[in-house]
C-alpha cells in the first residue's frame, strides 16, 4: 500500500484556520480519511488563487454556521461546483461579536458565559444546525465538505468534535483538535491584541481578550458534559438530538474512515532530520504519533511509559485491564494497559521496589534491553558467546558504564538495533530521544520481518 503524506493545514493565503480533519485515529484502529472533511474560518477572505485550491480539493458543499448579520457583512464567495448551505447555529448574535463589551465583565464571568454558550449549542434550538450538518454528511453525493463560522473555533470547533465523536475518535484527541485553533490563529490574534492594547485597561480585560480570541478547553468540555448530562451517552445524543441512528453511524464510518497505513502525517520539525524516514514510516502505520499535529519533537526525551506503549503497538500485543503489578501505575492511567501487556510479554520488569517509573526518561541501556527482549519474544536468537559479547562492546570506551544490561546492549549492537554515539561512545545512561527510539523501533521491525 502506498503512503501519501498529508498536511492538516490547507495552505491558502486568505485563511489561517482552514484545515483537514483527516488522519485522526479512531478507537477501533482506523483513521479519518484525508480530503473529505474540512473545517475553516470565514471564507470571504479567500483569494482567487485560494478559490482554485478549494476547487482542486474537490470540496462540493459549504456549510455556513454564521448568523444572518455575519453573513450579510462578509458573504461566502461563489465557487463553481460548490453548493452553499446557510445553517446558522444562532440566527442573531446581537452585540456578542463586540469583544469590548466583554471588558465590562470579570474573567470568571466571561468564562461562565462561554461555558453556558457551549451548553446551549448542544440543546434546542441551536443543536438543530448540527442535525442539518449530519444530514449533509450522510449523503455521499455532497462530496467533500467544508463547514465554518467566523473564526472557525467555537461553532466550528463543536461541529468538529461531534463529527469526530461520531466516527469513534477519543475525547483526548478531539480536545487537541479543538485547541489547535490557538496555534493556527496565534499570529493573527497577537496582531489583534496589539491593536486593542489601549482598550485593555485591566488585567481581567487582557485575559478576556486573549481567551476570547482563542479557545479554552473548559468551553468544549462544557458541551461534552452537557451531552452526557442530558442524554447519558453520545450515541443517545446522536439518535435523539441529531437523528443519527446506530446504522447511520456505521455508514458514516464507512464513508469517512479507512484502514491505517495509507497516509503519513507530515511534521514540520522532522523535515531534513536524520530520522525523518523512520518516523514517517512508523507514523504511516499508526505506531508513533506527534506531540501534536504540527510537531514530532524528535530531540525530546521519551518516557518509559511512552516507549513501552510504542513497543506493544509495534508487536501488536493484545491489551487488557489486567493490573501490571506496579505500585506507580494506576488502572486509570493512559499507559496502564500497554504497560500490563509489556509485563505479560516479559519486555519490562520494573524496579526492586515494585515501581515502574512511567514518567522517567528511558535510557539507552533500558531501551536496548527492551528491544532485545522483544526480539526474543518474536522468536529471534539474541544469545552471544562471552567472546562475541566482549567483541561487540570493545570498540566503545564507555562500555564499562553499562550498569546491568551488558548482554542486552551487546546483542543490540550485534544485531544492528543500536549504534554508538559520536563513534566510540555508547552513552548507556543518557536518555534516548524520540528520534532515536523511532529509528531503533523501525530497525527492530525490519529484523523481525527477516527472522
Amino acid at each position: 500500500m502506498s503512503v501519501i503524506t498529508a498536511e492538516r493545514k490547507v495552505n491558502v493565503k486568505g485563511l489561517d484556520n482552514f484545515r483537514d480533519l483527516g488522519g485522526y485515529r479512531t478507537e477501533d484502529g482506523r483513521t479519518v480519511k484525508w480530503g473529505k472533511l474540512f473545517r475553516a474560518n470565514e471564507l470571504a477572505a479567500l483569494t482567487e488563487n485560494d478559490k482554485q485550491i478549494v476547487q482542486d480539493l474537490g470540496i462540493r458543499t459549504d456549510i455556513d454556521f454564521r448568523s444572518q448579520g455575519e453573513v450579510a457583512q462578509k458573504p461566502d464567495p461563489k465557487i463553481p461546483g460548490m453548493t452553499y448551505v446557510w445553517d446558522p447555529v444562532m440566527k442573531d448574535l446581537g452585540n456578542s461579536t463586540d469583544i469590548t463589551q466583554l471588558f465590562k465583565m470579570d474573567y470568571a464571568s466571561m468564562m461562565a458565559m462561554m461555558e453556558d454558550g457551549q451548553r446551549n449549542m448542544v440543546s434546542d434550538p441551536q443543536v438543530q444546525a448540527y442535525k442539518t450538518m449530519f444530514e449533509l454528511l450522510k449523503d455521499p453525493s455532497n462530496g467533500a465538505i467544508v463547514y465554518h463560522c467566523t473564526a472557525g473555533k467555537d461553532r466550528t470547533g463543536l461541529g468538529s468534535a461531534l463529527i469526530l465523536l461520531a466516527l469513534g475518535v477519543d475525547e483526548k484527541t478531539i480536545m487537541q483538535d479543538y485547541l489547535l485553533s490557538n496555534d493556527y490563529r496565534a499570529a493573527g490574534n497577537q496582531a489583534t491584541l496589539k491593536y486593542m492594547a489601549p482598550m485593555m485597561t485591566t488585567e481581567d480585560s487582557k485575559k478576556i481578550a486573549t481567551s476570547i480570541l482563542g479557545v479554552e478547553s473548559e468551553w468544549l468540555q462544557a458541551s461534552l458534559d452537557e451531552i452526557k448530562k442530558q442524554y447519558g451517552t453520545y450515541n443517545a445524543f446522536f439518535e435523539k438530538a441529531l437523528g443519527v441512528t446506530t446504522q447511520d453511524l456505521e455508514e458514516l464510518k464507512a464513508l469517512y474512515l479507512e484502514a491505517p497505513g495509507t497516509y503519513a502525517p507530515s511534521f514540520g520539525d522532522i523535515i531534513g532530520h536524520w530520522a525523518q524516514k523512520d518516523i514517517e514510516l512508523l507514523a504511516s502505520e499508526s505506531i508513533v504519533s506527534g506531540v501534536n499535529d504540527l510537531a514530532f519533537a524528535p530531540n525530546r526525551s521519551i518516557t518509559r511509559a511512552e516507549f513501552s506503549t510504542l513497543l506493544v503497538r509495534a508487536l501488536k500485543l493484545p491489551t487488557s485491564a489486567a493490573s501490571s503489578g506496579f505500585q506507580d501505575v494506576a488502572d486509570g492511567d493512559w499507559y496502564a494497559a500497554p504497560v500490563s501487556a509489556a509485563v505479560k510479554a516479559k519486555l519490562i520488569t520494573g524496579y526492586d521496589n515494585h515501581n515502574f517509573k512511567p514518567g522517567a526518561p528511558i535510557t539507552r541501556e533500558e531501551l536496548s534491553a527492551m528491544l532485545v527482549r522483544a526480539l526474543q519474544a518474536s522468536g529471534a536468537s539474541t544469545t552471544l558467546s562471552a567472546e562475541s559479547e566482549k567483541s561487540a562492546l570493545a570498540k566503545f570506551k564507555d562500555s564499562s558504564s553499562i550498569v546491568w544490561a551488558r548482554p542486552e546492549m551487546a546483542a543490540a549492537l550485534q544485531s544492528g538495533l543500536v549504534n554508538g554515539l559520536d563513534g566510540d561512545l555508547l552513552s548507556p545512561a543518557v536518555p534516548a530521544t524520540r528520534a532515536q527510539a523511532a529509528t531503533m523501533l523501525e530497525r527492530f521491525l525490519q529484523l523481525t520481518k527477516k527472522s
Side-chain angles (χ1 to χ4, degrees):
M1 184 176 291
S2 61
V3 175
I4 304 170
T5 302
E7 292 186 21
R8 188 156 308 287
K9 187 178 186 301
V10 179
N11 290 312
V12 293
K13 186 177 181 180
L15 308 186
D16 59 8
N17 204 12
F18 190 4
R19 40 192 162 119
D20 195 322
L21 212 61
Y24 287 125
R25 191 176 184 182
T26 63
E27 292 182 305
D28 67 3
R30 289 181 284 179
T31 56
V32 180
K33 290 179 180 178
W34 293 94
K36 295 292 184 181
L37 301 164
F38 297 88
R39 54 175 295 172
N41 46 327
E42 58 192 11
L43 305 185
L46 289 172
T47 66
E48 289 303 314
N49 187 59
D50 291 342
K51 294 174 191 176
Q52 186 60 54
I53 291 173
V54 170
Q55 280 188 276
D56 292 344
L57 286 170
I59 297 174
R60 297 291 175 261
T61 304
D62 167 18
I63 304 174
D64 189 347
F65 290 143
R66 296 177 301 161
S67 68
Q68 189 171 6
E70 290 171 292
V71 172
Q73 286 183 358
K74 293 184 178 181
D76 281 7
K78 293 181 179 179
I79 298 177
M82 191 163 75
T83 300
Y84 175 78
V85 180
W86 184 48
D87 184 26
V89 175
M90 293 164 277
K91 292 187 178 181
D92 183 11
L93 288 180
N95 66 353
S96 63
T97 56
D98 183 0
I99 193 172
T100 60
Q101 294 297 313
L102 300 177
F103 294 166
K104 300 173 183 177
M105 310 171 71
D106 59 37
Y107 185 75
S109 298
M110 181 279 296
M111 288 293 288
M113 180 196 74
M114 292 299 293
E115 289 168 25
D116 283 343
Q118 288 287 150
R119 294 186 190 100
N120 290 337
M121 284 197 282
V122 294
S123 307
D124 275 327
Q126 294 178 23
V127 76
Q128 295 302 312
Y130 299 110
K131 182 176 182 180
T132 299
M133 177 186 74
F134 272 96
E135 288 171 356
L136 293 165
L137 289 172
K138 287 188 288 185
D139 185 351
S141 68
N142 288 318
I145 289 175
V146 62
Y147 52 95
H148 74 93
C149 51
T150 293
K153 63 185 186 71
D154 301 311
R155 291 162 286 183
T156 298
L158 177 59
S160 296
L162 296 179
I163 291 171
L164 293 175
L165 281 171
L167 296 179
V169 176
D170 65 274
E171 285 187 25
K172 181 180 177 182
T173 302
I174 289 168
M175 184 62 76
Q176 289 173 343
D177 176 77
Y178 179 75
L179 294 174
L180 276 177
S181 285
N182 293 333
D183 295 326
Y184 288 114
R185 291 179 53 79
N189 287 350
Q190 284 301 312
T192 302
L193 288 171
K194 185 176 180 180
Y195 170 78
M196 295 179 61
M199 295 174 260
M200 298 184 291
T201 57
T202 66
E203 285 303 311
D204 263 9
S205 64
K206 293 174 186 175
K207 288 176 63 180
I208 286 170
T210 301
S211 288
I212 212 73
L213 288 172
V215 288
E216 300 288 349
S217 59
E218 291 92 338
W219 302 347
L220 178 59
Q221 195 60 54
S223 292
L224 301 181
D225 290 345
E226 185 67 15
I227 289 173
K228 294 170 188 174
K229 178 182 175 182
Q230 286 193 43
Y231 298 93
T233 67
Y234 291 129
N235 278 7
F237 166 76
F238 284 125
E239 183 153 8
K240 295 176 182 177
L242 303 181
V244 178
T245 66
T246 302
Q247 183 175 341
D248 289 333
L249 289 174
E250 291 307 310
E251 290 175 358
L252 285 168
K253 290 174 182 177
L255 275 174
Y256 297 110
L257 298 182
E258 63 190 352
T262 306
Y263 293 93
S266 178
F267 305 115
D269 58 354
I270 66 170
I271 304 302
H273 194 281
W274 59 266
Q276 178 179 350
K277 182 179 178 181
D278 293 328
I279 292 167
E280 289 181 341
L281 282 170
L282 293 176
S284 74
E285 296 299 325
S286 299
I287 294 172
V288 302
S289 56
V291 294
N292 57 45
D293 288 302
L294 303 174
F296 184 77
N299 300 321
R300 197 200 82 183
S301 61
I302 184 168
T303 68
R304 289 167 54 81
E306 288 171 336
F307 188 72
S308 299
T309 300
L310 298 187
L311 196 50
V312 166
R313 218 179 268 166
L315 287 167
K316 296 182 171 61
L317 296 178
T319 57
S320 69
S323 173
S324 64
F326 295 124
Q327 295 177 357
D328 56 353
V329 178
D331 290 343
D333 291 334
W334 67 264
Y335 47 77
V339 167
S340 178
V343 170
K344 186 176 180 181
K346 299 181 180 179
L347 304 181
I348 56 178
T349 56
Y351 295 88
D352 291 339
N353 58 359
H354 302 292
N355 284 332
F356 179 60
K357 298 183 181 179
I362 191 169
T363 66
R364 287 168 52 82
E365 181 175 7
E366 293 169 335
L367 189 147
S368 298
M370 287 179 64
L371 285 172
V372 168
R373 291 172 191 156
L375 271 181
Q376 293 168 346
S378 63
S381 175
T382 61
T383 303
L384 299 181
S385 65
E387 183 178 344
S388 295
E389 180 182 312
K390 182 179 179 181
S391 175
L393 297 172
K395 66 182 76 170
F396 299 101
K397 60 185 181 183
D398 62 347
S399 61
S400 61
S401 64
I402 299 172
V403 178
W404 56 272
R406 192 175 181 86
E408 288 89 345
M409 286 214 78
L413 287 163
Q414 186 77 7
S415 62
L417 283 173
V418 177
N419 293 329
L421 295 179
D422 299 323
D424 59 356
L425 292 176
L426 272 178
S427 304
V430 172
T433 67
R434 286 167 55 84
Q436 291 169 350
T439 294
M440 293 180 200
L441 199 53
E442 177 59 25
R443 291 173 187 159
F444 162 77
L445 290 173
Q446 294 305 316
L447 284 172
T448 57
K449 290 176 183 177
K450 294 175 183 177
S451 62

